[in-house]
Amino acid sequence: MLSMPLFSLLMALLFIFFIAVNGDSSYTVPEETKARDVIGNIAKDLGIDAAELKTRKARIETEDSSKRYVDINLNTGELVVAETIDREKLCGSRINCILNYELVLENPLELHRISVNIRDINDNAPMFIKKRISFEIPESADKGQRFRLDEAHDYDIGQNGVKDYSLEKNNHFVLSVKENKNGRKYAELVLDKELDREQQKNIDLILTAVDGGIPQRSGTAVIHITVLDANDNVPVFTQSVYKVVLAENALIGTEVVTVSAEDADEGANGAVTYEFSHIAHKAAQLFTIHEFSGQINVAGDIDYEEEKYYEIGVQAKDGSGLASTASVIIDINDVNDNAPKIVLKSLNSPLPENVIVGTEVAIINVQDKDSGDNRKIRCAIHGNVPFKLNPSIKNYFLLSTTSILDREMEEYYNITITASDGGSPPLSSYMIIHITLSDINDNPPVFEQQSYTAYVIENNKPGNSISAVTATDPDCRQNGTVLYSLVPSEINGVPVSSMISINSDTGVIYAVRSFDYEKFKDFKVQVVARDNGSPPLSSNVTLSVFISDENDNAPQILYPAAEGKTLMTEMIPKSALSGSLLSKVIAVDTDSGQNAWLRYQIVKSTDPGLFTIGLHSGEIRAQRDITESDSMKQNLVISVKDNGQPPLSATCSIYLLISDNLAEVPELKDIIYEESNSKLTFYLIIALVSVSTFFLTFIIVSLALRFCHRRKPRLLFDGAVAIPSAYLPPNYAEVEGAGTLRSSYNYDTYLTTGSRTSDFKFITSYNDTTLTAGGTLQNIKNETLAASLISLNNTGEENED
Ligand SMILES: *[C@@H]1O[C@H](CO)[C@@H](O)[C@H](O)[C@H]1NC(C)=O
Ligand SMILES: *[C@@H]1O[C@H](CO)[C@@H](O)[C@H](O)[C@H]1NC(C)=O
Ligand SMILES: *[C@@H]1O[C@H](CO)[C@@H](O)[C@H](O)[C@H]1NC(C)=O
């Protein structure tokens, strides 16, 4: 058992110890100080800049979430009274009334312990529980006999507690003031002069108790003494101190102890009654004593956490008012009846997802009102979360991250924290902390495809959508909002923006103009997807646009020249046999594929059975041997049609003259200008043509005759056969791939493949004067002349009729 002075010394030492250890602040404030009164400047005392208080969320916290009587003024850093404190209500008879608080600062977590010592002021007067103290004293009582009086109570403590007693002046009694082992003063009535019942039957005296406060306060009671005749005995307790141990939470009605006193008297004088002679206000609500049996019972909720022991004075009084006292000391045992309490002191949520590993997220305080092992708390985190709990100052824990967080993976965490104490069985509690992550623009938009391809049919309508790109960004709101744009570039010198456009919100790509396959077949453009964060993140992708062909170009006849342009006349030897190659229609189509696959047809001829044309080669051959009876002048109308949908076509006329010698052609005029009425002009032309052609033919024929006697068939090409380069369509050689004409140098690959009769075989060079097969020697020097014989679009098939 601790005596009160020792206990208070220990408390004081403990108090000093805490201050020393934490280096924190201690303040003293008298009770009954009004709210908003300043206790001290805590910011100054702790060396904290008062301006920081607000930003660091400075606040006063209690250690055990109890009521808070002080507060901090965030502007000045002053510690102020939050609510008027009544020391007596708060601490009862405890010597030290200390409120422990913590000043919590965040970023970083800082904890300063503040203790506020509530100084007692003399606001309570001494008081007797019973205003009338009755005694029955036999007249035989000896001088010097003592009678213990009820103690006076003063809720104040120390100096302000009961200091002295005084008795109204009288003839028989004096007062002896004593101190019990708790340091409390009590008084005994001492008989100073024998009583005489015959002289005075009743005596009333006023007992005054005073405290030591300034100003002094006092309380009184009346002592009523009845002088008895008989000889009485004083009841005597069996023990002077009854010491018991009581578990907290003992049920109401539980017997604590039974005190008993014996009185040697018989009858009413020996009938002992019990009562509390001294009992603290709180204890009076927790315990009762049975008047006759002396049994002390539990009458309220015993809580170790409120009071660890009680000392109660009991008094036994017999019928004649003779009394004696004893004390009952009740030690309360702690029971593990309080589960740990988890208090979230600070939470940094939403937490930016890019915080570094180890960032403090929350401050947690654990409390357990029990003592000893019952308040040893272990804390743990449940589940697999990237957070850990680190013990910090005292019973504080810091929750910090253990790995990099990613909002796009996990948007929020529910962290379950459990705290269990060391009692048996242990009690535990848990708390769920919700942590939300806030977004950081850490993801660039990502296209759904590595590259995009758009196919557009040429001659498209401007404004039509041709493709769409999609990029996704998992970030939040504007950080995840994707905007599309085209990277400025040029295609064949034309800015890409004049070709296609993109809807910046949807990623839909539109054609700005109508494309022409014959101008370009494909182009590439970079599309950028950018989010709206700051700074924004972006990524890009290649969009390839392929333009596909449409049959928008009609075949173009290179030879013979289109109708009406020039005079085109072919001479055919009279001896031409069936199947011999007589001439060739050359046409191209700037479209590609099927659209450029040409078919040749004779649509009109002077003698329908005489000539055929290769469907794909355009070669005009004799269908049968030419005879003398055949008309000398032959006229063919040939159509060239492509294979597009719908097909496009072109026609040309070709004039054939069956003759070995121009001189034999007296009526050439009929062929050339069948419909001309101007005979004069006609003859003039004939004369001119005849003279020049004759001369030319003569030279060629005589040369040919020198090389080969048996010429069959003989081919004669008019000078007009030469294809002037101006006949070639624009960009002709530039058309690549699917075009009909790869390059002018490719002509030789097609040579004679369509020619069944193999009258000519151009093996290596156009300049070669030697013909190896067919025995016909034809010196063809003119390269353009040779070119005219080439099947431009021969697909390799045999000539068909
Ligand atoms: C987290 O807790 C909230 C609120 O209690 C609840 O709505 C949510 O479903 C929980 N989430 C998970 C993943 O447990
Ligand atoms: C977007 O990210 C930035 C940092 O990159 C962040 O400050 C902002 O709060 C984010 N916006 C949203 C809506 O989450
Ligand atoms: C496109 O992306 C590549 C690599 O992803 C980058 O190097 C380039 O700068 C980007 N171009 C544009 C115009 O953003």
Side-chain angles (χ1 to χ4, degrees):
M1 184 181 94
L2 278 177
S3 73
M4 215 54 190
L6 190 57
F7 180 74
S8 39
L9 182 70
L10 251 174
M11 284 291 283
L13 271 176
L14 220 62
F15 177 57
I16 291 162
F17 177 73
F18 270 137
I19 293 172
V21 164
N22 293 292
D24 294 335
S25 301
S26 162
Y27 298 91
T28 300
V29 63
E31 63 170 326
E32 304 297 339
T33 304
K34 286 192 197 70
R36 311 247 53 91
D37 277 6
V38 175
I39 301 170
N41 193 313
I42 187 160
K44 206 180 277 173
D45 295 346
L46 292 172
I48 301 166
D49 185 1
E52 266 183 38
L53 294 174
K54 246 180 210 155
T55 54
R56 292 186 63 189
K57 298 187 195 160
R59 58 189 186 267
I60 302 283
E61 300 263 14
T62 58
E63 279 183 355
D64 55 1
S65 315
S66 56
K67 194 161 178 179
R68 202 153 46 82
Y69 288 97
V70 300
D71 211 344
I72 186 167
N73 181 331
L74 290 179
N75 296 320
T76 60
E78 283 167 338
L79 192 68
V80 296
V81 174
E83 194 180 308
T84 308
I85 306 163
D86 181 4
R87 197 204 65 86
E88 285 71 40
K89 206 162 132 194
L90 207 61
C91 299
S93 58
R94 253 177 283 154
I95 305 280
N96 281 308
C97 188
I98 297 166
L99 300 175
N100 286 316
Y101 295 112
E102 278 154 0
L103 173 67
V104 182
L105 296 161
E106 291 181 17
N107 303 318
L109 173 67
E110 221 177 274
L111 205 71
H112 297 276
R113 184 181 284 233
I114 304 163
S115 46
V116 180
N117 196 354
I118 310 300
R119 189 156 51 75
D120 185 41
I121 62 166
N122 194 22
D123 54 348
N124 291 286
M127 189 182 74
F128 292 93
I129 294 173
K130 286 181 180 168
K131 295 287 173 221
R132 187 183 164 91
I133 307 163
S134 301
F135 285 102
E136 291 174 6
I137 300 174
E139 56 183 348
S140 60
D142 295 329
K143 180 179 172 189
Q145 196 169 343
R146 290 167 173 263
F147 305 91
R148 184 166 174 157
L149 295 169
D150 294 358
E151 274 178 39
H153 298 276
D154 191 320
Y155 290 127
D156 296 323
I157 52 157
Q159 282 276 305
N160 296 331
V162 175
K163 189 189 166 204
D164 209 355
Y165 294 92
S166 62
L167 191 68
E168 180 189 351
K169 216 166 159 46
N170 66 90
N171 297 329
H172 296 278
F173 296 96
V174 290
L175 208 61
S176 163
V177 179
K178 289 191 162 182
E179 199 172 309
N180 69 13
K181 46 200 171 293
N182 299 329
R184 285 199 306 269
K185 296 266 177 33
Y186 67 96
E188 285 174 342
L189 208 56
V190 182
L191 190 61
D192 198 35
K193 188 177 163 238
E194 279 88 357
L195 299 168
D196 184 356
R197 185 180 149 80
E198 281 65 47
Q199 216 174 42
Q200 197 173 8
K201 261 190 186 161
N202 296 300
I203 306 168
D204 282 326
L205 299 169
I206 291 176
L207 176 67
T208 306
V210 293
D211 62 24
I214 303 165
Q216 195 170 53
R217 291 171 184 266
S218 62
T220 57
V222 174
I223 304 170
H224 176 78
I225 297 159
T226 312
V227 182
L228 295 178
D229 234 354
N231 192 10
D232 279 351
N233 287 299
V234 177
V236 178
F237 275 102
T238 53
Q239 291 173 35
S240 63
V241 175
Y242 295 86
K243 209 171 167 186
V244 289
V245 174
L246 181 67
E248 66 171 323
N249 300 339
L251 295 176
I252 290 175
T254 304
E255 180 188 340
V256 180
V257 70
T258 302
V259 294
S260 91
E262 277 159 16
D263 192 298
D265 295 330
E266 302 233 324
N269 286 352
V272 180
T273 59
Y274 302 93
E275 62 190 342
F276 292 133
S277 62
H278 162 84
I279 188 163
H281 183 68
K282 251 182 206 166
Q285 278 140 32
L286 297 178
F287 302 102
T288 56
I289 188 162
H290 193 269
E291 197 184 353
F292 303 114
S293 69
Q295 193 180 70
I296 297 175
N297 289 95
V298 175
D301 294 327
I302 313 279
D303 188 358
Y304 174 88
E305 286 69 41
E306 242 171 60
E307 211 63 71
K308 291 172 181 52
Y309 91 112
Y310 295 94
E311 188 177 351
I312 301 167
V314 287
Q315 176 173 277
K317 206 180 248 184
D318 64 14
S320 54
L322 292 179
S324 66
T325 61
S327 44
V328 175
I329 292 175
I330 304 167
D331 268 317
I332 308 294
N333 251 4
D334 184 38
V335 168
N336 191 24
D337 59 343
N338 289 289
K341 200 166 152 190
I342 306 170
V343 185
L344 184 62
K345 292 282 184 181
S346 164
L347 177 63
N348 183 7
S349 175
L351 185 68
E353 59 175 324
N354 65 344
V355 291
I356 54 162
V357 173
T359 300
E360 287 169 15
V361 179
I363 302 166
I364 286 146
N365 181 239
V366 288
Q367 300 156 4
D368 194 311
K369 284 182 177 169
D370 295 321
S371 63
D373 281 349
N374 292 344
R375 73 176 300 168
K376 277 189 186 145
I377 306 171
R378 282 191 315 272
C379 266
I381 282 189
H382 282 249
N384 190 14
V385 288
F387 295 93
K388 67 172 179 199
L389 265 187
N390 285 335
S392 180
I393 322 159
K394 226 182 76 185
N395 47 354
Y396 278 84
F397 289 86
L398 288 176
L399 184 69
S400 56
T401 60
T402 57
S403 72
I404 288 166
L405 306 175
D406 186 2
R407 192 200 67 87
E408 286 70 41
M409 295 281 289
E410 196 95 62
E411 205 172 326
Y412 55 85
Y413 292 95
N414 289 346
I415 302 168
T416 307
I417 291 173
T418 56
S420 49
D421 63 25
S424 73
L427 293 176
S428 62
S429 56
Y430 72 96
M431 168 181 261
I432 298 175
I433 298 178
H434 304 284
I435 292 173
T436 318
L437 297 186
S438 66
D439 189 41
I440 293 294
N441 192 21
D442 54 355
N443 288 288
V446 174
F447 282 99
E448 280 176 0
Q449 295 176 27
Q450 302 243 304
S451 64
Y452 287 84
T453 314
Y455 295 94
V456 194
I457 296 172
E458 63 171 333
N459 304 321
N460 55 302
K461 249 201 212 151
N464 276 5
S465 76
I466 59 170
S467 183
V469 296
T470 315
T472 50
D473 188 325
D475 286 324
C476 182
R477 273 177 282 173
Q478 70 257 36
N479 291 341
T481 307
V482 180
L483 295 174
Y484 303 92
S485 61
L486 298 175
V487 177
S489 64
E490 287 194 348
I491 299 153
N492 294 345
V494 180
V496 68
S497 57
S498 69
M499 310 275 285
I500 57 171
S501 67
I502 189 162
N503 182 319
S504 66
D505 295 327
T506 61
V508 174
I509 291 164
Y510 300 93
V512 170
R513 60 157 72 168
S514 181
F515 298 123
D516 185 356
Y517 174 84
E518 284 71 36
K519 282 216 179 105
F520 43 77
K521 297 182 176 56
D522 57 72
F523 59 89
K524 281 182 170 39
V525 45
Q526 291 291 108
V527 179
V528 178
R530 176 174 286 114
D531 63 30
N532 220 356
S534 74
L537 296 176
S538 67
S539 57
N540 59 55
V541 78
T542 305
L543 167 73
S544 308
V545 179
F546 291 103
I547 295 152
S548 47
D549 188 39
E550 199 177 51
N551 193 23
D552 58 344
N553 288 288
Q556 216 171 335
I557 295 163
L558 304 182
Y559 178 82
E563 258 181 303
K565 249 191 184 171
T566 333
L567 271 169
M568 287 291 169
T569 310
E570 291 271 0
M571 281 188 93
I572 295 168
K574 281 180 180 164
S575 55
L577 296 177
S578 160
S580 57
L581 179 61
L582 304 175
S583 184
K584 184 165 169 52
V585 175
I586 300 164
V588 291
D589 192 313
T590 45
D591 293 323
S592 70
Q594 291 276 318
N595 294 338
W597 194 32
L598 302 182
R599 290 157 179 271
Y600 298 86
Q601 261 171 330
I602 298 172
V603 291
K604 206 168 127 194
S605 68
T606 315
D607 182 352
L610 191 52
F611 303 103
T612 67
I613 189 159
L615 185 61
H616 297 297
S617 63
E619 288 171 346
I620 298 167
R621 290 168 188 277
Q623 202 167 2
R624 56 172 169 80
D625 293 350
I626 290 172
T627 59
E628 287 296 331
S629 60
D630 286 324
S631 163
M632 214 180 151
K633 302 159 281 175
Q634 296 287 338
N635 185 9
L636 299 178
V637 176
I638 289 158
S639 97
V640 183
K641 198 186 267 182
D642 63 26
N643 205 23
Q645 281 296 336
L648 296 174
S649 63
T651 54
C652 64
S653 294
I654 190 160
Y655 300 97
L656 302 170
L657 196 61
I658 301 172
S659 165
D660 286 344
N661 195 330
L662 260 183
E664 298 170 17
V665 190
E667 289 175 87
L668 191 64
K669 54 180 180 171
D670 295 345
I671 309 166
I672 299 166
Y673 281 119
E674 274 176 329
E675 289 144 48
S676 171
N677 294 324
S678 171
K679 294 256 180 195
L680 188 69
T681 324
F682 174 66
Y683 286 125
L684 269 173
I685 292 167
I686 289 294
L688 255 171
V689 169
S690 302
V691 169
S692 55
T693 316
F694 178 75
F695 181 64
L696 215 94
T697 314
F698 177 73
I699 291 168
I700 294 168
V701 168
S702 52
L703 271 171
L705 279 171
R706 274 178 60 191
F707 286 100
C708 174
H709 254 295
R710 285 186 64 247
R711 60 200 201 287
K712 181 217 290 181
R714 200 195 70 171
L715 260 175
L716 183 70
F717 286 92
D718 190 284
V721 166
I723 306 165
S725 61
Y727 278 49
L728 291 167
N731 300 330
Y732 198 64
E734 286 160 36
V735 176
E736 50 169 85
T740 48
L741 201 59
R742 281 171 194 272
S743 95
S744 50
Y745 299 106
N746 288 351
Y747 289 5
D748 51 355
T749 59
Y750 295 108
L751 284 175
T752 72
T753 45
S755 168
R756 192 186 283 147
T757 50
S758 300
D759 293 300
F760 298 90
K761 282 223 162 90
F762 297 87
I763 297 160
T764 49
S765 164
Y766 305 134
N767 293 332
D768 202 330
T769 51
T770 314
L771 295 177
T772 54
T776 307
L777 187 67
Q778 182 74 45
N779 186 7
I780 302 161
K781 289 210 169 104
N782 195 330
E783 196 178 310
T784 52
L785 182 71
S788 72
L789 291 167
I790 293 154
S791 165
L792 290 175
N793 59 341
N794 193 319
T795 50
E797 320 168 33
E798 286 290 316
N799 203 6
E800 49 203 89
D801 296 306

